């Protein structure tokens, strides 16, 4: 059974940085997509970034985080990291790690991810 465990959330002032990590276990797929989503109170869930587990893959970024956030992966360790810089109050949300056997690239990602983590809170104060 696939399990995803996020870590690294917290509180930071606007302009600061945070790093989120997600460790996957129980994965039997040889290649897959891992991504980060976020959901703020009263808002729909939003895709933030996603990366396919092949060397040299081009990640997907939402327009709202492009240039500020960087997703990276350790394929052997089955971990994905989201480096968040120049954080803004509007980045405040619960952040979720997700995994799916589907393909993802700079232009898109699976419509429905099969596996989700419990989430980690990110709060950015002005």
């Amino acid at each position: 059974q696939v399990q995803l465990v996020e870590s690294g959330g917290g509180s930071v002032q606007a302009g600061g940085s945070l790093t989120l990590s997600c460790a996957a276990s129980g994965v039997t797929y040889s290649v897959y997509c891992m991504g980060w989503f976020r959901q703020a109170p009263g808002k729909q869930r939003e895709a933030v970034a996603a990366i396919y587990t092949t060397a040299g893959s081009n990640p997907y970024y939402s327009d709202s985080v492009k240039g500020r956030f960087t997703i990276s992966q350790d394929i052997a360790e089955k971990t994905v990291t989201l480096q968040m810089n120049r954080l803004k109050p509007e980045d405040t949300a619960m952040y979720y790690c997700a995994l799916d056997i589907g393909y993802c690239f700079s232009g898109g990602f699976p419509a429905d991810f099969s596996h989700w983590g419990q989430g980690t809170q990110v709060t950015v104060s002005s």
Side-chain angles (χ1 to χ4, degrees), residues 11-42:
S11 298
V12 66
Q13 288 192 325
S17 299
L18 282 174
T19 303
L20 304 183
S21 295
C22 176
S25 61
V27 179
T28 58
Y29 314 131
S30 58
V31 288
Y32 46 90
C33 177
M34 288 188 75
W36 288 96
F37 290 75
R38 67 186 181 187
Q39 188 166 21

Side-chain angles (χ1 to χ4, degrees), residues 10-86:
S11 298
V12 66
Q13 288 192 325
S17 299
L18 282 174
T19 303
L20 304 183
S21 295
C22 176
S25 61
V27 179
T28 58
Y29 314 131
S30 58
V31 288
Y32 46 90
C33 177
M34 288 188 75
W36 288 96
F37 290 75
R38 67 186 181 187
Q39 188 166 21
K43 294 190 176 181
Q44 286 191 327
R45 186 172 62 197
E46 173 192 17
V48 175
I51 190 166
Y52 201 56
T53 56
T54 54
S57 62
N58 290 319
Y60 164 87
Y61 294 102
S62 69
D63 288 341
S64 60
V65 307
K66 203 171 291 183
R68 300 188 298 121
F69 291 11
T70 302
I71 189 170
S72 59
Q73 60 179 331
D74 185 324
I75 297 173
E77 295 296 322
K78 294 183 173 60
T79 60
V80 66
T81 298
L82 185 68
Q83 177 64 44
M84 306 184 294
N85 298 327
R86 291 185 282 135

